Amino acid sequence: MLKQQVILTLMSLPGYSRFKTRTFLNYLTAYPVNIEELCEQLRVFNGSGEKILIPTFADLQQASDNARRQLELAVDNGLRLLVQGEAGFPARLTAIADPPLLLFARGNLDILAQKGLALVGTRTPTPFATNAAEKLGRKSAELGLIVVSGLALGCDTAAHRGCLAGQGRTVATLPGGFNNIYPPENRELAEEIVAQGGCLLSEYLPEAQPQAAYFVERDRLQVALSEAVLVIETEKTGGTMHTARFCLEQAKPLACIVPPSDLASHPNAEGNRLLIEQGAIALKTVEEAEAFIGQCLEPDDKISA
């Protein structure tokens, strides 16, 4: 069995999270050659003290068949499959606490090794935030930075489009499979990203529907692929706050736009204000924001307020 088929087989079984699957893979001294051997390895693994659910042979066979179909579907759709520990897997993603076991990808994978900036924010931005995201996306492109975001409506979309308008390249991490690009309104944008030398990434099977947990999980990848995170605008309970948390966990610089005075009491300013109170870099002017972006091209210890 191929490593990717083993991973997909296990992760499609009840009780086999990414963490549990990784623990099992690290336990192996050799990958199984067939379902019978995989079944026996799981029994031995369980006997070693790791309490896991032992699937029936029939369930394991069904999961393996499904994994093979998903791999075939990925190839048919022109996707690349990147497996942790194998050539082509982004080195940046191996350094985080919870790296993906595999990634489905489309587009220019070379840019994943280049310096990038995560530009993120609310799905319902004010006109000020939309304009800021577009301008900062364009500025990042002009400086040669890769813009990393999540293809969501609002600030993400504006950042991606600003980058493309500046003839730059951008990466989008997806909260579902490639056959269910989310949101549907951004399917054309996704194609534009690939056409202009960027790429799309997903941890999930091509037919996987977006789920609440996936939106959070993909945020850690945005941070891992970036030198820093710049928050355009966010509510204090918005999904962007997860990206900010991952940024702090990964010890990356975090900056927030300080909203203009007429938006100081707007709900979209609450997240920015909270993050700044907690130590995020406050960017008060366009010049400060552009300087912060420029510092992302410097050695890692050169990014400061």
Side-chain angles (χ1 to χ4, degrees):
M1 297 177 70
L2 296 175
K3 182 177 180 179
Q4 54 261 44
Q5 187 174 351
V6 174
I7 293 171
L8 291 176
T9 296
L10 293 176
M11 292 188 68
S12 64
L13 292 167
Y16 286 81
S17 63
R18 185 169 53 245
F19 175 78
K20 183 65 72 175
T21 300
R22 181 182 296 112
T23 303
F24 172 70
L25 295 177
N26 290 338
Y27 171 83
L28 293 179
T29 56
Y31 277 86
V33 297
N34 52 41
I35 295 299
E36 290 84 357
E37 189 170 322
L38 175 58
C39 196
E40 178 59 25
Q41 288 173 332
L42 288 170
R43 289 195 185 95
V44 174
F45 180 60
N46 186 59
S48 71
E50 293 286 346
K51 298 305 177 184
I52 58 172
L53 296 172
I54 303 297
T56 66
F57 181 84
D59 287 342
L60 205 54
Q61 183 67 66
Q62 183 178 6
S64 177
D65 290 343
N66 180 63
R68 185 173 60 253
R69 285 193 297 271
Q70 293 292 334
L71 290 171
E72 292 170 353
L73 180 62
V75 172
D76 291 343
N77 283 276
L79 303 180
R80 290 275 302 279
L81 186 58
L82 311 178
V83 182
Q84 185 185 8
E86 296 185 356
F89 189 85
R92 290 171 173 268
L93 296 182
T94 63
I96 62 177
D98 184 20
L101 290 172
L102 51 78
L103 287 166
F104 293 93
R106 176 180 289 149
N108 178 10
L109 303 184
D110 292 339
I111 66 173
L112 299 178
Q114 298 178 22
K115 287 183 177 291
L117 172 67
L119 285 173
V120 296
T122 179
R123 290 174 173 78
T124 56
T126 61
F128 165 80
T130 299
N131 184 55
E134 290 177 351
K135 286 186 175 180
L136 296 177
R138 180 187 287 268
K139 183 64 177 181
S140 298
E142 292 172 351
L143 291 174
L145 276 174
I146 305 301
V147 170
V148 184
S149 204
L151 201 70
L153 297 176
C155 289
D156 289 17
T157 293
H160 286 305
R161 290 207 175 279
C163 178
L164 294 176
Q167 301 306 305
R169 293 174 294 185
T170 179
V171 176
T173 59
L174 308 179
F178 272 89
N179 288 2
N180 291 292
I181 295 292
Y182 187 88
E185 298 94 319
N186 274 350
R187 288 172 182 162
E188 182 177 339
L189 174 58
E191 294 302 322
E192 292 176 15
I193 287 172
V194 173
Q196 196 162 305
C199 75
L200 310 173
L201 297 175
S202 173
E203 286 186 83
Y204 312 108
L205 296 173
E207 294 180 327
Q209 294 283 348
Q211 298 182 22
Y214 296 172
F215 286 91
V216 178
E217 290 179 338
R218 62 91 180 270
D219 290 343
R220 79 192 196 289
L221 304 185
Q222 294 177 33
V223 177
L225 293 170
S226 305
E227 307 304 310
V229 174
L230 200 168
V231 175
I232 306 297
E233 183 179 78
T234 183
E235 311 90 327
K236 64 180 180 181
T237 58
T240 300
M241 300 300 279
H242 293 296
T243 308
R245 173 171 59 84
F246 287 123
C247 183
L248 297 175
E249 290 177 358
Q250 295 182 30
K252 300 283 184 75
L254 173 65
C256 297
I257 299 293
V258 176
S261 56
D262 61 322
L263 294 175
S265 59
H266 195 286
N268 283 11
E270 293 179 353
N272 292 51
R273 183 165 59 248
L274 177 60
L275 292 172
I276 290 170
E277 290 173 356
Q278 295 175 345
I281 299 168
L283 303 176
K284 301 176 183 177
T285 65
V286 172
E287 290 75 21
E288 288 181 354
E290 292 183 350
F292 178 81
I293 292 173
Q295 288 177 331
C296 291
L297 292 167
E298 301 295 328
D300 294 343
D301 60 350
K302 298 298 184 181
I303 302 179
S304 61

